[in-house]
Amino acid sequence: MVGFVILAILAMAGAVGVIVARQPVHSALFLIGNIIALAVLYLTLSAEFLAAAQVIVYAGAIMVLFLFVVTLLTAGKDEREAAETLPGQRLIAGGASGLVGLALVVLAILNPGPAISLGLPKNFGTLRGMGAALWGPDFVYLVAVAIMLLTAAIGVLVLNRPERRAVRGARKASARQTRSREGQA
Amino acid sequence: MNPLLWPEYSVLLGVLACLAAVMALGTKRSAEYPVSIVALVASAVFTVHGWSGHQSPVALYGQTVIIDNFSVAVDGLVILAAAASILLGWNERRSGTDFPALVLLAALGMMVLGAANSFLVLFLGIELLSLPLYILAASPGTSASGEAGLKYLLLGAFSSGILLFGLALLYGGSGTMIFTAIGPAHTIAPLVAAGSALTLVGLIFKLGVVPFHMWVPDVYEGSSMPVAHFMAFGTKVGAAAILMRFLFFGFYLSPGVWGPLIGYLGVLTMIVGNLMALPQNDLKRLLAYSGIGNAGYLLIGLASHNVTGAEAMLFYLLPYGFAVMGAFAVVTMVAGERSSISVKDLAGLSSRSPALSAFFVVAMLSLAGIPLTGGFVGKFYLLQAALFANQPGLAVGLVLATLVGMGAYLRPLLASFGHPAQSLEPIVWPWGGALVLAVATLGTIGLGVYPAPIVQIVSHSANFFWLH
């Protein structure tokens, strides 16, 4: 229980840090803290494979991608935020969602469900158990996720459709002009 | 390979065939449109075969998927919506080569929702439906497409998060993933109530119900016409189907918990949607608010919680879909090369093209709910369900909202009989749009004059025996 409370506080502090931090890089670092706290939480729930995957995939691969994009996109941008159109909406929304979250937590503590008292299935959380579930009874879900990934791949192609040749030519020409102008200056 | 799932398989094979066609033939010769239509026709054939083939529900994959008359009827509606969208966007250079494949993928998600009987399948179906629609909304075509795509993606991801949280609470509170296995003792547990409330928020976001309707007009405005049509018809079918499955399969014993909530939201949605449709000038926004209002009508079927309500809800999807098909086909033809048109652009339509104007009148009168159109029969059915359920509030709301909606739908009609502001070019009739328009008009009038066959199909599909 003590371990859970510590991990929960760490995870929540990380989550709050992600949205409060001014610098995107700081947000990404807070997210790493959140992810690692969650991974340890999975370990305490004896879901070893999920914990390892969480660290390797999220804290490893995806975070590198985040940092890469952050450094590419926000280098040298000013950090001022746009003015809010509805003053105070963040405070009100944050307070309201905090209250709802608190109500849900109280509800969950007062009324533990029946699933919590059930025992764990065989090989729970290990690679063998995951594989047996994914390639056995849950194979159809794996197929559905595969279709989703296919959709995402199509989406990447659609939204990054190469510009028409004429447009690209014009842009190259204008870039050349600016470069020559800079050279003259 | 289960023979009952061939409608879904043929759509999936159609997606792969579309992608292969684009890959093999390049973007010059567009074979993907005919391929996608062939896949949909095959799916329709299997659906009709499935309708006649089995009468008792069949549970697959450990009861997580149920193929019954309801899922087959939903398949039919989804195929109609997808085919109409692809025909409306036939060989449209603005839609691009990926449009048919993405429409088929979203249709697959809607079909999955119609057969779902588990939280996992529910979530996968919602995501399978949403991902292609995010891409379609964001794909270039209109000036506001980027804004529409981003808005839809962010709000959709947010609603998916709420949905997932609700599903987790439901699983924690009931200990099962299967709708039909949620016991009577669980449905009154507070944790399950909280979970189902969050899940309902996620689902009615997709349906576009007030107060989760903000995205609808902006996303429709930023999408191209066929995509907006698909969202207006197909997404409503998918969301309505999963709401019926979720509430009538999982929570049929506790209508006292969710019934009033759905009823109040329904009345609020139909009044707000139709009121907001009144001042709209952009026709896509007008149809978007009309879609919000119609989502409110659909909720009556849920809130009345009886067999007539379930039948009326399923029935109403068809006349609504026909009217949306007709309206979007006319708007697409009038718009021509433009990506959106306003009410003023309709001026003089009656002298420009009397036939098109006549079709537009039929579609609009059906949306308004005038007798001898399908819309009237659908609204009548819903009114009957509300009165059978002894809920006069729902009936009064329906009538008031229909009155307000009348004003909204008559404005474009008045404009189309007015004098044109400038000299007008003749309207081009693409064959795909003409076909959609013909089917929509025939269906609208057919449903209004002789609804008996469809009523019979619906009464076999939405016949959830525990509602009797």
Side-chain angles (χ1 to χ4, degrees):
Chain A
M1 190 65 198
V2 181
F4 170 77
V5 170
I6 294 171
L7 285 171
I9 289 172
L10 279 178
M12 279 177 58
V16 170
V18 171
I19 53 170
V20 169
R22 292 269 157 191
Q23 290 261 6
V25 179
H26 294 173
S27 279
L29 290 176
F30 274 118
L31 192 56
I32 292 183
N34 174 284
I35 286 166
I36 289 178
L38 280 184
V40 180
L41 203 56
Y42 292 149
L43 265 187
T44 62
L45 294 172
S46 67
E48 293 107 19
F49 176 70
L50 201 58
Q54 173 94 355
V55 172
I56 294 169
V57 175
Y58 282 93
I62 290 182
M63 198 47 65
V64 170
L65 206 65
F66 272 178
L67 288 176
F68 197 62
V69 172
V70 163
T71 44
L72 268 184
L73 289 185
T74 58
K77 296 263 170 72
D78 64 334
E79 287 147 30
R80 273 173 302 165
E81 292 181 28
E84 285 183 41
T85 43
L86 271 171
Q89 58 173 339
R90 288 187 197 184
L91 271 181
I92 296 172
S97 50
L99 279 180
V100 171
L102 201 66
L104 285 175
V105 167
V106 170
L107 211 61
I109 290 173
L110 290 182
N111 306 280
I116 295 163
S117 55
L118 294 177
L120 292 178
K122 200 175 152 231
N123 283 332
F124 176 80
T126 62
L127 196 52
R128 187 177 296 274
M130 291 278 285
L134 279 184
W135 294 91
D138 294 349
F139 183 65
V140 65
Y141 309 138
L142 197 67
V143 173
V145 174
I147 297 171
M148 264 180 233
L149 290 178
L150 176 72
T151 314
I154 299 174
V156 171
L157 290 178
V158 172
L159 299 180
N160 292 317
R161 197 177 289 158
E163 296 170 54
R164 300 241 166 68
R165 206 152 282 164
V167 181
R168 212 191 295 159
R171 186 170 292 179
K172 247 182 214 161
S174 72
R176 215 175 293 135
Q177 275 177 3
T178 21
R179 224 175 292 140
S180 64
R181 220 175 290 139
E182 279 165 4
Q184 282 166 10
Chain B
M1 292 288 242
N2 194 298
L4 291 176
L5 287 179
W6 268 105
E8 283 81 5
Y9 289 149
S10 43
V11 169
L12 185 56
L13 287 177
V15 173
L16 299 178
C18 281
L19 296 179
V22 175
M23 202 165 67
L25 300 175
T27 51
K28 288 280 185 295
R29 299 219 314 273
S30 51
E32 63 278 2
Y33 285 86
V35 165
S36 62
I37 289 293
V38 167
L40 284 172
V41 168
S43 181
V45 169
F46 286 121
T47 305
V48 171
H49 181 73
W51 176 261
S52 52
H54 65 96
Q55 291 297 315
S56 56
V58 179
L60 303 170
Y61 305 115
Q63 288 199 333
T64 55
V65 171
I66 289 190
I67 304 293
D68 54 4
N69 288 337
F70 179 75
S71 78
V72 175
V74 171
D75 282 358
L77 286 169
V78 170
I79 291 167
L80 182 67
S85 297
I86 290 175
L87 285 176
L88 277 182
W90 188 274
N91 276 350
E92 177 85 44
R93 61 176 172 73
R94 281 171 293 180
S95 308
T97 49
D98 26 68
F99 171 70
L102 289 171
V103 167
L104 288 185
L105 278 169
L108 186 66
M110 294 161 194
M111 292 168 130
V112 168
L113 283 180
N117 190 34
S118 129
F119 300 149
L120 213 51
V121 179
L122 183 160
F123 184 72
L124 288 175
I126 287 277
E127 289 302 298
L128 214 51
L129 175 162
S130 306
L131 273 176
L133 287 180
Y134 299 149
I135 300 167
L136 284 173
S139 54
T142 65
S143 53
S145 63
E147 182 198 340
L150 193 64
K151 212 170 238 175
Y152 196 20
L153 174 70
L154 289 179
L155 287 177
F158 199 61
S159 85
S160 287
I162 293 177
L163 176 72
L164 205 55
F165 191 27
L167 294 178
L169 285 181
L170 273 179
Y171 180 58
S174 66
T176 178
M177 290 271 208
I178 314 280
F179 293 166
T180 41
I182 299 174
H186 298 140
T187 50
I188 49 167
L191 204 57
V192 172
S196 55
L198 290 176
T199 310
L200 279 180
V201 168
L203 294 181
I204 62 181
F205 170 86
K206 289 284 171 228
L207 195 61
V209 168
V210 177
F212 308 104
H213 67 291
M214 302 295 183
W215 59 276
V216 180
D218 293 343
V219 171
Y220 284 22
E221 195 185 7
S223 311
S224 61
M225 295 282 181
V227 175
H229 163 266
F230 193 52
M231 287 176 184
F233 185 6
T235 314
K236 288 261 189 302
V237 170
I242 191 61
L243 270 174
M244 285 170 91
R245 280 274 186 201
F246 179 68
L247 289 176
F248 287 160
F249 275 55
F251 295 90
Y252 62 95
L253 282 170
S254 58
V257 178
W258 52 264
L261 175 82
I262 295 284
Y264 287 125
L265 281 182
V267 172
L268 185 70
T269 305
M270 49 196 163
I271 303 263
V272 169
N274 282 306
L275 270 181
M276 297 287 281
L278 272 176
Q280 299 303 324
N281 274 323
D282 187 308
L283 274 170
K284 263 196 268 181
R285 287 186 82 87
L286 194 147
L287 286 169
Y289 279 111
S290 140
I292 296 172
N294 281 294
Y297 298 148
L298 286 173
L299 289 188
I300 293 179
L302 282 178
S304 54
H305 195 256
N306 53 18
V307 175
T308 323
E311 287 171 10
M313 186 171 172
L314 195 58
F315 179 85
Y316 191 72
L317 286 169
L318 191 61
Y320 167 70
F322 278 139
V324 164
M325 274 164 64
F328 269 103
V330 171
V331 170
T332 310
M333 283 186 210
V334 175
E337 286 292 299
R338 283 168 294 175
S339 62
S340 75
I341 58 168
S342 69
V343 173
K344 273 186 212 130
D345 295 325
L346 284 175
L349 185 65
S350 57
S351 48
R352 228 167 129 198
S353 170
L356 201 59
S357 173
F359 286 134
F360 191 56
V361 168
V362 171
M364 280 301 172
L365 290 187
S366 180
L367 280 174
I370 302 290
L372 293 185
T373 60
F376 170 75
V377 179
K379 289 201 176 72
F380 187 79
Y381 214 157
L382 285 169
L383 197 69
Q384 196 186 19
L387 291 177
F388 279 176
N390 213 359
Q391 295 189 350
L394 288 177
V396 171
L398 173 71
V399 173
L400 279 181
T402 309
L403 273 177
V404 177
M406 202 87 81
Y409 300 124
L410 288 184
R411 256 186 75 230
L413 280 189
L414 274 180
S416 73
F417 286 105
H419 292 290
Q422 69 273 33
S423 64
L424 296 162
E425 69 279 21
I427 286 171
V428 189
W429 285 67
W431 69 268
L435 185 62
V436 171
L437 202 51
V439 170
T441 309
L442 271 180
T444 305
I445 296 177
L447 279 178
V449 178
Y450 184 54
I454 302 296
V455 168
Q456 203 194 356
I457 289 179
V458 160
S459 63
H460 278 113
S461 309
N463 190 13
F464 306 126
F465 60 88
W466 45 82
L467 289 178
H468 280 282

